[in-house]
Amino acid sequence: MTNPTVFESARTRRPRAAVVANIPPLSTWPFPPLDDLDASAAALYHKNRLAVEMYVAKRNETEIKQRTGYTVSKARRLTERCLRTHPLTERMVGL
């Protein structure tokens, strides 16, 4: 089951201010255990995390693209995915 708010926002492409409004500080987001990731998976995780951090910090599209290789749309989708809640635990998915 998908979170209708996130699904709808991805479809309507809300502005960044609407996506990041009222979100908890990044330091309080759940983080996955990284010990078991191989080098390529860990590198991808850190790249995705940087894109989310930059998007939430309202960095411009050029900087996000230069540092991560991602468009601002991709950074928004990653951020929205992090903000979803898990259907069983009802906790935010996080980074």
Side-chain angles (χ1 to χ4, degrees), residues 67-82:
R67 302 249 340 254
T68 66
Y70 293 154
T71 64
V72 74
S73 296
K74 170 84 173 183
R76 177 183 38 79
R77 286 191 303 271
L78 289 169
T79 302
E80 289 178 329
R81 187 181 311 156
C82 291

Side-chain angles (χ1 to χ4, degrees), residues 4-72:
T5 304
V6 172
F7 177 75
E8 205 169 292
S9 70
R11 194 176 68 225
T12 59
R13 299 200 189 278
R14 294 185 304 165
R16 185 186 316 203
V19 174
V20 300
N22 301 317
I23 62 171
L26 286 172
S27 62
T28 64
W29 291 20
F31 294 92
L34 303 177
D35 299 338
D36 295 333
L37 294 180
D38 62 33
S40 64
L44 179 60
Y45 168 79
H46 289 293
K47 181 175 156 179
N48 290 346
R49 179 176 171 169
L50 177 60
V52 168
E53 290 172 347
M54 293 178 75
Y55 185 83
V56 170
K58 300 179 182 168
R59 299 294 176 91
N60 67 47
E61 184 168 5
T62 303
E63 188 176 358
I64 292 172
K65 181 77 170 175
Q66 287 175 342
R67 302 249 340 254
T68 66
Y70 293 154
T71 64
V72 74

